[in-house]
Amino acid sequence: MRSLERSAHPLRSTEPGGRTEDLRALGAMVGDAKVVGLGEATHGSHEFFTMKERVFRHLVEERDFTTFALEMSWSAGLRIDEYVQGGPGDPRTIAKDTLAGSPWEREEFVSLIAWLREHNRRHPDHRVHFMGDDIGAPELGDHIFERVVSSVGKTRPEVLPQLTELYGGLRPFDDIFGYLRKPVAEREENAAHAKEALDLVAEHQEADGGDYAWTVQHARNIAQTFAFATVDLTDPASVTAAESLRDQAMADNVLWWQRHTGHKMLLSAHNGHIGYLSTHPDMYPRTQGAVLRDRLGHGYVAIGFSFAGGSFLTKDASLDGDWKAVTVPAARPGMNEHVLDRVRYRDFYLDLRTAPRPAGAWLDRARPVYDAGSTFTPDPLPVLALGRAYDALIHLHRVRAADQL
């Protein structure tokens, strides 16, 4: 306990706005990283979401970060960024249109989107961006196909008929859950068409200039989505392969954006996607965070979240149902959070890489943790070694369910 307390930095607040002196040590932990993964132990807690906005604001103002990336559809992220850059609409309508059905369809993300837009209005010479790094779930939408087709029609009209034919049976792809009910053989054929379309679009891309690279990336995300959607939900091995493909695709999309734009990025996703280990290694054997660490080295920093009790949003089944509030009691003895919550600060963060030996040895041992994705299993709880999963950790005493729109 003394070792943990010597390493802990107290948090003044989890709400955005106001003074940020308490985040300076967190900025030092980030250092010169190009991408910072900031997790969430649940997909629907107010404090995780507001803390992400608070941290991003600080990194924008103090560390020259310029992109907020979220575990959501690439195509939906493009629509949010259009608004952030001054496009039509209002933040609430944009959130409803792009985040519908997701755990991020919450007031907290309306606040984030509104702040991004307002920042660009006040600082046109230091613009910030929003991106979605995920496959097209729950939908791709027709606009992403149209971007590819329109660009190819202008730059390489000779291949437009072939591209139009390949995409003919794929677009608009507006319901992945319904699509997964189609026969696997049909979905595999569609994935082959999407991959053939990507190969066609990617030919001679270097000769077509920087703008065309976006066209190739849009086509790549379409192919990623259809490849993932070949999953056979009745076959555990197929599910694991699909989730591995998805984490790799998310990492590839982040790497493409960072390389193409040069932006420093805050990557928001579940703990199990930004960290180096998952609480469900049978389903997620290689995480997005592990890929990013391998590719970026010290240029990637993973910050996990933990909490010792409270409420969050989850569903009864991954592919069905609505998000609803679940409450868990204070962490019991034997859990990571039970010990962390005995630190004298209510909310705090610490650098796991530099923790003194007694704390480091404790952190490197796997213990039960609170962890909820689309679903939550309270018994038995999953286990995780915090010191091997993340570079830094933010611990919160209590959380509550995020605010519905």
Side-chain angles (χ1 to χ4, degrees):
M1 287 304 304
R2 289 192 297 270
S3 179
L4 284 170
E5 287 193 343
R6 286 197 300 270
S7 304
H9 299 270
L11 277 172
R12 178 186 65 82
S13 173
T14 58
E15 297 295 318
R19 299 169 62 180
T20 62
E21 290 90 342
D22 58 323
L23 295 181
R24 285 177 179 168
L26 189 68
M29 294 174 194
V30 167
D32 296 326
K34 299 175 181 178
V35 179
V36 173
L38 186 54
E40 52 200 46
T42 78
H43 267 330
S45 295
H46 170 82
E47 290 78 5
F48 296 153
F49 293 169
T50 55
M51 189 65 187
K52 292 186 181 196
E53 180 179 340
R54 185 170 190 245
V55 170
F56 185 62
R57 289 195 195 190
H58 179 73
L59 293 178
V60 168
E61 294 163 0
E62 301 294 331
R63 294 275 167 173
D64 201 30
F65 274 59
T66 46
T67 291
F68 186 99
L70 179 62
E71 178 194 347
M72 66 170 292
S73 164
W74 169 269
S75 55
L78 294 172
R79 294 177 63 190
I80 294 177
D81 193 54
E82 287 173 355
Y83 171 76
V84 168
Q85 303 310 318
D90 65 85
R92 187 173 303 278
T93 301
I94 294 296
K96 286 183 178 180
D97 289 347
T98 57
L99 301 174
S102 79
W104 306 288
E105 187 188 3
R106 310 293 156 201
E107 291 288 350
E108 292 84 357
F109 276 88
V110 173
S111 172
L112 172 66
I113 293 169
W115 181 83
L116 294 170
R117 166 106 166 195
E118 177 61 16
H119 177 276
N120 286 344
R121 187 189 69 80
R122 291 184 289 109
H123 303 284
D125 56 339
H126 182 204
R127 305 188 72 83
V128 292
H129 291 264
F130 186 100
M131 79 159 288
D133 76 327
D134 210 340
I135 61 167
E139 64 178 29
L140 277 167
D142 199 53
H143 68 102
I144 193 71
F145 290 95
E146 190 54 40
R147 286 184 184 223
V148 177
V149 170
S150 177
S151 174
V152 169
K154 295 175 182 177
T155 58
R156 301 179 59 205
E158 70 279 3
V159 303
L160 183 59
Q162 185 180 355
L163 179 65
T164 302
E165 182 179 356
L166 288 169
Y167 277 163
L170 308 183
R171 55 191 300 189
F173 196 83
D174 54 7
D175 178 14
I176 192 172
F177 304 121
Y179 180 81
L180 291 177
R181 298 187 181 98
K182 294 179 179 290
V184 172
E186 179 181 344
R187 289 185 273 133
E188 289 176 341
E189 182 179 2
N190 287 342
H193 289 165
K195 177 60 167 62
E196 187 177 349
L198 169 61
D199 293 341
L200 183 69
V201 172
E203 289 177 359
H204 314 300
Q205 63 173 307
E206 294 181 1
D208 289 313
D211 290 343
Y212 192 74
W214 286 93
T215 302
V216 177
Q217 174 61 18
H218 300 331
R220 182 177 297 112
N221 188 251
I222 293 171
Q224 291 169 341
T225 300
F226 278 92
F228 173 85
T230 63
V231 59
D232 182 352
L233 297 175
T234 66
D235 179 2
S238 178
V239 173
T240 296
E243 292 296 352
S244 296
L245 182 153
R246 179 180 170 228
D247 268 75
Q248 181 69 53
M250 290 192 292
D252 287 343
N253 292 336
V254 167
L255 291 165
W256 182 90
W257 182 286
Q258 200 287 317
R259 182 175 63 251
H260 189 77
T261 65
H263 294 179
K264 290 184 177 181
M265 305 171 65
L266 179 71
L267 170 60
S268 170
H270 190 273
N271 279 349
H273 290 304
I274 65 92
Y276 309 128
L277 300 174
S278 168
T279 54
H280 300 283
D282 53 332
M283 185 175 293
Y284 303 99
R286 180 169 164 80
T287 66
Q288 174 184 211
V291 176
L292 292 173
R293 179 177 59 179
D294 288 348
R295 295 286 296 276
L296 296 176
H298 295 301
Y300 178 70
V301 171
I303 304 174
F305 265 108
S306 63
F307 72 106
S311 302
F312 50 88
L313 300 172
T314 187
K315 300 195 297 183
D316 293 328
S318 296
L319 301 183
D320 295 297
D322 298 323
W323 295 90
K324 60 183 182 180
V326 171
T327 301
V328 294
R332 64 178 184 263
M335 295 177 62
N336 284 320
E337 295 89 342
H338 181 263
V339 173
L340 292 169
D341 216 43
R342 293 169 60 196
V343 170
R344 68 177 181 267
Y345 307 122
R346 176 183 175 88
D347 300 327
F348 63 91
Y349 59 92
L350 67 162
D351 192 329
L352 305 177
R353 300 164 297 185
T354 60
R357 183 173 297 174
W362 180 83
L363 290 162
D364 282 346
R365 183 175 176 182
R367 294 178 183 83
V369 291
Y370 279 142
D371 179 89
S374 298
T375 60
F376 174 61
T377 303
D379 188 23
L381 289 172
V383 299
L384 188 70
L386 299 174
R388 291 188 282 120
Y390 317 114
D391 297 308
L393 181 75
I394 300 174
H395 177 74
L396 305 182
H397 175 62
R398 290 291 183 273
V399 297
R400 67 173 177 84
D403 297 323
Q404 190 168 350
L405 284 182

